[in-house]
Amino acid sequence: MSLLPEPVRRLAAWCVVLLLVAGVGWVGVRLCGEFRTAVTPVLLALLGSALLGPLHRRLVAAGVQRSLAAGVTCVAVVAVVGGAVYIVVAALIDTGDQIIASLRQAARSLAQHFGAAGAGLDDLAANSRELLSKFGGTAASNVISGVSVVGESLAMAVLALLLVFFFLRDSHRVVDNLRAVAPGNTADTLEAMARRAYEAVEGFMRGTTVIALIDATLIGIGLLILRVPGAVGLAALVFVTAYIPYLGAFLSGAISVLVALADRGFVIALWALGVVVAVQVLEGHVLQPVIQSRTVQMHPAVVMLAITAGASVAGILGMLLAVPLTAAAFAVVHELRTRYGVPAPSDS
């Protein structure tokens, strides 16, 4: 190695570091995949604890016993999430036939202008439910062989809820336990990294929830004014999908426009599209900079890459977890750079 020039040695060292990091990351992803039924509830519980932590702290500050405060918080989140899921599912079931009927009508209109191509679209619209059920069954059988998807999902949800309870109840002991297991003199650094990562996740979850609530309220009001059926359910769908940046807004907006097209016609669908676009512009230029200004800021390209990577690893769940975990990683890197980075030279 001494025969190589200094730049080449530096490049080789960085290549070795990158390979080691990539190898450790690959092994970690594979292990998480193998133990997904245990890892997934832990990650969901961490997100839930970050979101519900402020409510739990307020209850404790008001004199409520820690276990009781954690239990009340978990009951509240079950009621809210369960209600939102019920409203979304009920609204989509009520309007699903209308959406498919609208697609078939649009396909027939295309068939009059484009002949066979339009007829093919008509056939696709007519068999969309069958194709979707076949695709869903194939995907489920490939992901989990021989295990009920619904049963496993319910088990993980219950486990995640129990973990949220314990994480909230015992949150005051985390720092002491973390410092106890820190090797050598790294307790302060490990605590600072953990605090910074948790603050990033907490800020992301809190900011995203506030923004999702505002988006859902505004879009719901717009759809109610336009008299779109299932406006409340569509607003709830906007709220739920807001935790998947960019893609979630696109999906919920597309469904809202399709429902408006199915029941109210092309003009009202255009107005619904205008409402969705206006709210998204408001979010991108006003809500995001103001509400999430204290969290770890990531470039949209980084967010999209994180979502894509999460989808390739764990599907929809990976898309949900990718951005907060990336925010935590950015926060840890920022803390390490603050502690060990070389300060930039001053201009004076």
Side-chain angles (χ1 to χ4, degrees), residues 121-135:
L121 291 174
D122 188 18
D123 294 337
L124 179 60
N127 299 317
S128 58
R129 282 186 173 177
E130 182 181 356
L131 292 174
L132 182 60
S133 63
K134 289 182 179 180
F135 175 77

Side-chain angles (χ1 to χ4, degrees), residues 34 41 77 86 126 142 165 189 192 199 218 261 269 272 276 290-291:
E34 291 294 327
V77 74
Y86 173 79
N142 290 334
F165 172 81
T189 302
E199 288 173 359
L218 294 178
L261 178 65
V276 172
V290 172
I291 295 177

Side-chain angles (χ1 to χ4, degrees), residues 122-158:
D122 188 18
D123 294 337
L124 179 60
N127 299 317
S128 58
R129 282 186 173 177
E130 182 181 356
L131 292 174
L132 182 60
S133 63
K134 289 182 179 180
F135 175 77
T138 302
S141 63
N142 290 334
V143 174
I144 304 173
S145 56
V147 180
S148 171
V149 178
V150 175
E152 183 175 337
S153 300
L154 289 176
M156 289 192 296
V158 171

